[in-house]
C-alpha cells in the first residue's frame, strides 16, 4: 500500500520488525531413542538411522503422513503395477545440508518438501525400487516425479 509504505525498503523493514515479534524460537534437541519413535503404523524410528548417520547433524522432515500414505499405497500396488507421484521431493540427504528445504508456498498453500531418501529407504526394505526424476511435462520448477515398483 503506497499510503503506508512509500518505498520497498519501508515495506521490507515493516515485515522484518513484525516477523521478529511473532517468530517462534526454535530449539534443537536430540531425538530420543529411535526405537521409541513410530514414523507411521508400519515403520519404526530405527528406519531413520541410515539417514541420520549420513554425516554431521541434520535437520530434515520426516513427513509422517506422506510416509503412511506411501506404505499404504505400496501394500495396494499390483505386483506388475507402478506408483507414480509428482511432488516437491528432496531426493538426496545432502539436499538438506546444502539448500533450504523448509515450508514454502505452492499454489496458495503452505507445503513441506517430502523426504525422498526416507521413502526410497522404506520402499527398498519392502522390496520396491523407488526412483526420482525431474517432472518432464514442464521445466523450470521444483516438481519431481517419484516412481515405485516391485524390484525384479
Amino acid at each position: 500500500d503506497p499510503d503506508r509504505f512509500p518505498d520497498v525498503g519501508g515495506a521490507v523493514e515493516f515485515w522484518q520488525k513484525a516477523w521478529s515479534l511473532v517468530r517462534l524460537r526454535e530449539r534443537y534437541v536430540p531425538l530420543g531413542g529411535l526405537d521409541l519413535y513410530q514414523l507411521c503404523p508400519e515403520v519404526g524410528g530405527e528406519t531413520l538411522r541410515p539417514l541420520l548417520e549420513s554425516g554431521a547433524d541434520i535437520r530434515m522432515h520426516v513427513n509422517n503422513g506422506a510416509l503412511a500414505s506411501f506404505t499404504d499405497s505400496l501394500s495396494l500396488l499390483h505386483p506388475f503395477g507402478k506408483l507414480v507421484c509428482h511432488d516437491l521431493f528432496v531426493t538426496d540427504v545432502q539436499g538438506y545440508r546444502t539448500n533450504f528445504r523448509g515450508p514454502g508456498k505452492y499454489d496458495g498453500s503452505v507445503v513441506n518438501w517430502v523426504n525422498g531418501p526416507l521413502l526410497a529407504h522404506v520402499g527398498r526394505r519392502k522390496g520396491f525400487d523407488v526412483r526420482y526424476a525431474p517432472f518432464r511435462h514442464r521445466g523450470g520448477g521444483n516438481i519431481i516425479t517419484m516412481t515405485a515398483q516391485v524390484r525384479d
Side-chain angles (χ1 to χ4, degrees):
D1 181 5
D3 295 335
R4 294 179 193 208
F5 306 108
D7 58 25
V8 173
V12 169
E13 182 180 352
F14 168 79
W15 284 111
Q16 287 174 334
K17 286 180 181 176
W19 178 247
S20 71
L21 296 172
V22 299
R23 180 175 49 192
L24 296 175
R25 291 186 183 209
E26 294 179 335
R27 183 177 51 169
Y28 298 105
V29 295
L31 286 175
L34 291 177
D35 58 330
L36 303 176
Y37 181 51
Q38 197 70 22
L39 299 177
C40 68
E42 294 184 28
V43 182
E46 279 294 326
T47 305
L48 290 172
R49 188 165 305 284
L51 303 177
L52 297 174
E53 293 177 346
S54 64
D57 289 345
I58 188 169
R59 179 183 178 190
M60 66 181 175
H61 297 102
V62 174
N63 308 109
N64 304 78
L67 184 60
S69 177
F70 176 70
T71 58
D72 289 345
S73 297
L74 292 182
S75 68
L76 298 172
L77 195 60
H78 185 278
F80 299 116
K82 182 186 291 188
L83 175 65
V84 178
C85 179
H86 309 292
D87 211 327
L88 300 174
F89 288 99
V90 175
T91 58
D92 185 283
V93 174
Q94 295 308 318
Y96 285 111
R97 291 188 172 94
T98 59
N99 297 316
F100 174 71
R101 300 296 184 179
K105 298 280 288 175
Y106 184 70
D107 287 343
S109 61
V110 176
V111 297
N112 286 315
W113 291 70
V114 178
N115 189 329
L118 178 59
L119 296 187
H121 178 61
V122 169
R124 281 191 301 274
R125 291 181 69 182
K126 293 184 171 294
F128 289 82
D129 280 327
V130 178
R131 300 181 191 277
Y132 297 96
F135 184 66
R136 62 186 175 114
H137 304 288
R138 179 179 47 153
N142 292 317
I143 299 173
I144 299 290
T145 300
M146 177 197 72
T147 57
Q149 61 188 72
V150 173
R151 235 184 330 229
D152 289 335

